[in-house]
Amino acid sequence: MINFQLISLDGVKFSGEAYEIILPTMDGEIGVLPGHMPLISVAERGVISIRRKQNEPDDMMEHFAISGGAIEVSNGSLNVLVDEADASDDISEEEAREAMERAQKLKAEAKDQVSLQQAQNLIDRSAVRIQVAGLKRRGRRG
Amino acid sequence: MASTQQLKRRIGSVKNTKQITKAMELVAASKMRKATEAAHRGRAYRQSAHSMLARLNKVTEINEHPLYKKRPVDQRLYIVITSNRGLAGAYNSNVIKSLAGSIASDKKQKIKSSVIVIGKRGAQFLNRVEGIDIVAVYDDFSDKPTANDIRPILNTIIDKYTAKLVDEVCIIFTEHKSNILQTVDNLTVLPASYETDPDESEGPSLSDVTFEPSVNDVLENVTERLLEVQIWQALLESIASEQSMRMLSMKNATDNATEIIDDLTLEFNTARQAKITQELAEITGGAEAIK
């Protein structure tokens, strides 16, 4: 088992044992299983999925929407350091969609490079949140 | 002496004011508690970032990295944290005083200063001062900021620093030492500093650790995290301080209102009694005259 800690600016979001953690990194998605080699890498904005037990089916996995950050694998523990991490249960799909619409409007109205970038950033953020909110729904059905 | 009618009206209005200040005091107290809790929650983040840096320090010379290397200061950037609202005692004026002092001493040393300001109050002040380069104004932060809010600030300072447009970045904020003591602090965030911890030479060997995509990319990212948490904590400490000071000044206002109500009530009673006495005197006088 891996001792997994997910730390955001807003505190520790997940702390405990897990069997498998799937993370988005700069070089693509990686899966961390027990016995993973020591690694320090950079996380991208995306979805972290956690499988608590070895035989847990996919639709029981826990999901977090994260923004970019740093990850560290060492001696059977995984530390993930990100600005924001929201559990799928804490995200309302409706709100995320509204945020997306607002962000797209901002992008359409953006006048300079900076505000365009900020709007794009908000769009990316909302996209991940919508994705994670959708994952929760599937989990409930199963 | 004011008429009883007038006194009554004044008592009523002071009572209303007291209700408002009392409510503001309670609101500030609860907001302060939330902000201090949030500031404490950032600690785990800071520790983790530090321990990652300690590992990185074993494979690379951190202090040689551009974000850490000190260079002669010709241009200094300040991040100033003020509030959007007033009625918080000396909160904003303390911060502004500290900023004005720093800018004055920069001028003597021929250092050009520029400012990123958070909060409407600071922006209002800086607009009146000439010769200060305002890089950006953020006046739409709520009492519960998110990591997304401070992203643009972080990107701005890193871009400017790596492009050598500024040589040092300081953050001026109010430290929340306790509910009754808050002090203005001036913290240098860039160049970042890393001090070797004497205990860290222990720990596992790093010869077999993989860095993806590269040591430098990882170092940059972890440094960014560390800067971010510094800005974040400064922001939350400031919010906590603002609320503490508002709580205290509103408590004083409530106490003053109580005192005024007491005084006015006394005056009102005296006036009322005087009126009754006078009426009685008139009645007895009238009765005597009829006899």
Side-chain angles (χ1 to χ4, degrees), chain A residues 5 29 33 40 44 48 61-62 66 68 71 73 75 81 83 96 98 109-110 112 121-122 124-125 129 132:
Chain A
Q5 276 211 315
E29 212 163 60
L33 289 158
I40 297 185
E44 287 268 88
I48 287 188
M61 286 170 93
E62 279 174 61
I66 61 155
I71 64 175
V73 186
N75 297 340
L81 208 57
D83 314 344
E98 278 168 20
E109 288 165 1
D112 50 47
N121 179 24
L122 281 175
D124 294 345
R125 177 172 182 264
R129 289 172 74 93
V132 170

Side-chain angles (χ1 to χ4, degrees), chain B residues 117-170:
Chain B
V117 55
I118 299 172
K120 286 195 182 94
R121 296 278 149 170
Q124 277 165 9
F125 168 78
L126 288 171
N127 277 333
R128 288 199 301 266
V129 182
E130 276 179 33
I132 293 181
D133 180 18
I134 301 177
V135 177
V137 176
Y138 297 92
D139 59 3
D140 50 357
F141 286 4
S142 72
D143 295 323
K144 277 161 65 188
T146 64
N148 226 20
D149 290 337
I150 58 171
R151 263 272 133 202
I153 300 178
L154 188 68
N155 291 339
T156 313
I157 62 168
I158 290 177
D159 287 350
K160 278 195 175 276
Y161 190 80
T162 38
K164 303 203 169 164
L165 291 171
V166 294
D167 307 303
E168 197 170 88
V169 180
C170 300

Side-chain angles (χ1 to χ4, degrees), chain A residues 11-58:
Chain A
V12 179
K13 288 296 170 99
F14 185 100
S15 174
E17 302 260 285
Y19 173 73
E20 182 186 5
I21 299 112
I22 299 168
L23 310 149
T25 73
M26 250 168 115
D27 291 346
E29 212 163 60
I30 62 164
V32 177
L33 289 158
H36 196 283
M37 64 177 181
L39 169 78
I40 297 185
S41 180
V42 178
E44 287 268 88
R45 187 187 286 287
V47 185
I48 287 188
S49 305
I50 305 153
R51 198 191 301 277
R52 282 192 189 246
K53 293 190 193 72
Q54 187 171 358
N55 50 10
E56 211 171 55
D58 278 0

